[in-house]
Amino acid sequence: MTHTTHTQQAIFASFVVDEQTLAQAELEQHITQQGEVVATEEFTVIEISCYDYEIYVGDKLIASITYDHDEFITQRWVVSVNSTEVHRANSWAKCHSHVTWHHKQGTLPVQKQKVPANTTGNEVMAQIAVECEKFGFELLDDGIYNNDKKLGSAGCTDGRWWVNRASSEHQQQVPCDSAFDAVWSLSMVEVLPSLETRFCEELLNKPFDQLTTEEWKRLMEYRPLPESMVLTA
């Protein structure tokens, strides 16, 4: 009698497990199908690394997908909203389907958006002016100058600092970390030509048969600068 009871319990347990497995498979299939219905162009996936992704709708972050490296975890892919885990799965695709489907249904938790630093134009110019003073540069309405020579311009847009060198062919805004980095970058416009001039002048005093191929190449490209552009130590 006991043997029969144990057998029945084992059969029942197996039945429950099979039912749970089937239900999970049906749910995952449903999520995948629903995710395919959502217009793919609405969602943008930004790869932070091969284990970290951010999901956007338009310009708004709605969730992130990361990989759990814990040795004993079977469902390693994790969906997080506001740095809180909301779903796990054994593949990245299932996590992505979960995000798209629940976002469409309105059941995905609302991700708080990052608020950019509110820096006014006057504050930006004040910071740049302080850094220019350190280098002896002059800040005018149209850019940063040194001895009447325009070095370029600097600014901060949406909380992100940038610098634009006057010597740049495409006049492109290059990202930087701070007002100091921007002005320091412009200072190198003056310093680097001077260093190159000194290096090449030293090569001219070196016996030609001792010059390397790279040194010959730099001498061939060398053009002496006007005295007004060469900095003195």
Side-chain angles (χ1 to χ4, degrees):
M1 190 64 150
T2 303
H3 175 74
T4 302
T5 302
H6 288 170
T7 302
Q8 291 175 340
Q9 290 176 345
I11 294 174
F12 177 75
S14 177
F15 174 78
V16 172
V17 171
D18 290 341
E19 283 292 307
Q20 290 175 342
T21 302
L22 179 61
Q24 180 68 23
E26 290 176 348
L27 175 61
E28 291 174 351
Q29 182 180 7
H30 179 65
I31 291 174
T32 301
Q33 290 173 345
Q34 290 297 320
E36 292 172 352
V37 174
V38 181
T40 55
E41 63 271 14
E42 181 183 0
F43 294 89
T44 303
V45 179
I46 304 297
E47 182 179 354
I48 308 302
S49 71
C50 58
Y51 294 110
D52 297 278
Y53 300 82
E54 291 183 342
I55 313 298
Y56 287 81
V57 173
D59 59 349
K60 292 185 177 180
L61 175 67
I62 62 171
S64 61
I65 299 177
T66 56
Y67 187 83
D68 192 336
H69 293 272
D70 195 313
E71 183 179 356
F72 301 102
I73 296 298
T74 55
Q75 294 182 313
R76 294 178 178 271
W77 290 100
V78 181
V79 176
S80 297
V81 178
N82 296 317
S83 301
T84 302
E85 179 183 326
V86 297
H87 180 71
R88 276 181 178 266
N90 58 5
S91 72
W92 183 93
K94 291 176 181 177
C95 283
H96 182 266
S97 295
H98 177 90
V99 172
T100 55
W101 186 78
H102 280 280
H103 176 76
K104 183 184 179 184
Q105 299 301 316
T107 54
L108 189 70
V110 178
Q111 170 71 46
K112 295 179 181 178
Q113 302 301 310
K114 298 178 181 178
V115 179
N118 185 18
T119 304
T120 66
N122 290 337
E123 291 173 341
V124 169
M125 297 306 292
Q127 292 184 48
I128 295 175
V130 170
E131 300 305 331
C132 285
E133 186 176 355
K134 295 177 182 178
F135 288 90
F137 297 157
E138 185 178 11
L139 177 61
L140 301 179
D141 291 339
D142 64 335
I144 298 172
Y145 286 77
N146 183 37
N147 297 327
D148 296 327
K149 175 187 175 183
K150 185 176 181 179
L151 303 180
S153 56
C156 184
T157 305
D158 295 330
R160 299 178 180 179
W161 287 94
W162 53 266
V163 62
N164 187 347
R165 293 182 178 180
S167 60
S168 173
E169 180 180 354
H170 302 290
Q171 292 297 292
Q172 183 178 3
Q173 293 182 355
V174 180
C176 53
D177 295 330
S178 63
F180 170 81
D181 286 342
V183 178
W184 177 84
S185 176
L186 292 178
S187 74
M188 300 308 292
V189 173
E190 292 285 83
V191 175
L192 289 179
S194 177
L195 294 178
E196 180 68 12
T197 297
R198 295 178 186 178
F199 179 78
C200 289
E201 288 178 350
E202 291 177 0
L203 291 182
L204 289 173
N205 296 325
K206 187 176 180 179
F208 289 163
D209 57 353
Q210 296 182 13
L211 295 176
T212 65
T213 302
E214 179 63 26
E215 290 172 341
W216 268 110
K217 181 180 178 181
R218 292 179 70 171
L219 277 178
M220 293 292 292
E221 297 174 351
Y222 169 59
R223 296 291 183 274
L225 295 175
E227 291 185 2
S228 60
M229 293 182 61
V230 178
L231 298 182
T232 58

